[in-house]
Amino acid sequence: MIEFRDVRKSFGEARPVLDGLSFSVAEGETLALVGPSGCGKTTALKLVNRLLDHDSGEVRVFGRDVRGEDPIALRRRLGYVIQEAGLFPHWSVKENVEAVPRLLGWKQAERHARSEELLALVALPAAEYGERRPRQLSGGQRQRVGVARALAADPPVLLMDEPFGALDPIARRSMQKEFLDWKRRLRKAVLLVTHDLREAFRLGDRVAILDRGKARQTGTPREILAAPADDFVREFVSDELPGAPP
Amino acid sequence: MLVVVSTALAVGIGVPLGVALTRRPRLARPVLGFANVVQTIPSLALFGFLIPIPFIGGIGARTAIAALIVYALLPILRNTHAGIASVDPAVIESATGLGMTKRQRLWLVELPLALPVVLAGVRIATVVSIGLATIAAAIGAGGLGVLIYRGVAIVDHRLILAGAVPAALLALAADAGLGFAERRLR
Ligand SMILES: Nc1ncnc2c1ncn2[C@@H]1O[C@H](COP(=O)(O)OP(=O)(O)O)[C@@H](O)[C@H]1O
Ligand SMILES: [Mg+2]
């Protein structure tokens, strides 16, 4: 569903942020892109929905080069969840969830049915939470609304940038559990970005470890633990997961 | 009344211009700086400058409206620019990321969120304009200022107050009314 081939992107400094990044995300699969802060994870994600454009290489979504796609139409087929949720503060929870269906011109009855269904999925029943404003919700609840909003038009692909990064450890843990539950039910292709290897191993079917603009290793958590590809991966894993097999 | 016309026109010019400045950050500083300088020209001098200019100039209400627009423009322009620039970048990013066009983002997200700040600018503009409008009587624009000038000329305090008190009350009422609308929107 998503494919990066030898992608390069720089912001004009000497060293490019992404320097030959390659990986792919299959249908129904969750790929967790993990690496230290500032290594270019967000940049990579934004190349997919064309909030940024790459310099060279290829970014393909749904089998087609993103550079040939209309960015507006492309974004409406890609769910997007960011760390601070970015909910529209002047709209109710329901209106937030119905944002993309509204842009797509769905009828009101269809929109309402959809937002009720999704709010139920993220455990915020519309009857109780639908009319609230984002500021009347906790951080975890806002993040759930962010997920519901991203899923509203039933996009086959979901892009998530540190979606649980701003939550306290307890809320994060419970959101991670729920994520696994949504994932099983919805079977979307998910590209999830995080700096937390533990989270990447929990949520990703496969994990790509990013360093100096490249994926150092891509594989299932088991593969990475069993055979780290190089010293960077070995150290990253032993620093982040003390107690894991060397 | 002069102020209603001039403020409405200043909103019509200032808001689109303020929005345009957020799209061209490099222009924002010089334009806002220039508007600041214009603001410091004494009002009587500005009225004087405008009189010889064809079409907008001359003696009367038209010149007064042009001058009031000039003064009302800065707070409206500045607040529109500041209001839109202060919208949470995460909100802008998600609006774009969800597939809003630039125009949808402006009308559905940026302007509604900037509205209280824009309205605060309109409020300042209105109050300032009411004060200035009394001076416009000096160039024959009429209004409450006429009473004040006549009172000063013949040293009649009651006549001065008959012009000044309603003008002050008007300014207070406009301030309170727009302040209320602004709070309702927050
Ligand atoms: N718009 C931008 N302009 C210039 N530099 C940027 C921009 N966005 C990101 N960068 C730089 O690119 C690097 C990677 O950023 P980012 O992709 O946000 O990292 P991550 O999400 O992995 O923390 C950082 O050094 C950052 O300063
Ligand atoms: Mg990031």
Side-chain angles (χ1 to χ4, degrees), chain A residues 118-159:
Chain A
L118 283 167
L119 286 170
L121 175 80
V122 298
L124 295 171
E128 195 181 340
Y129 293 96
E131 301 306 324
R132 291 203 197 176
R133 292 297 165 109
R135 65 167 164 273
Q136 296 168 297
L137 302 176
S138 71
Q141 289 171 334
R142 277 202 289 272
Q143 215 51 43
R144 284 162 213 253
V145 177
V147 171
R149 183 177 63 176
L151 290 170
D154 206 15
V157 171
L158 210 53
L159 308 173

Side-chain angles (χ1 to χ4, degrees), chain A residues 72 75-76 80 86 90 149, chain B residues 91 93-94 96-97 99 104 108:
Chain A
I72 304 294
R75 288 170 193 152
R76 292 176 185 177
Y80 187 43
H90 56 310
R149 183 177 63 176
Chain B
V91 170
E93 191 191 317
S94 64
T96 314
Q104 287 168 333
L108 297 175

Side-chain angles (χ1 to χ4, degrees), chain A residues 26-87:
Chain A
E27 216 171 322
E29 175 190 48
T30 296
L31 182 91
L33 196 58
V34 66
S37 249
C39 73
K41 305 180 295 292
T42 297
T43 303
L45 201 70
K46 287 181 174 175
L47 297 179
V48 180
N49 62 6
R50 295 202 57 188
L51 290 177
L52 293 172
D53 281 322
H54 52 289
D55 302 331
S56 68
E58 244 187 338
V59 177
R60 300 176 80 82
V61 186
F62 310 118
R64 296 215 296 267
D65 193 321
V66 290
R67 278 190 288 207
E69 303 280 304
D70 169 37
I72 304 294
L74 177 69
R75 288 170 193 152
R76 292 176 185 177
R77 290 186 292 147
L78 298 168
Y80 187 43
V81 185
I82 58 178
Q83 180 168 339
E84 310 83 4
L87 299 182

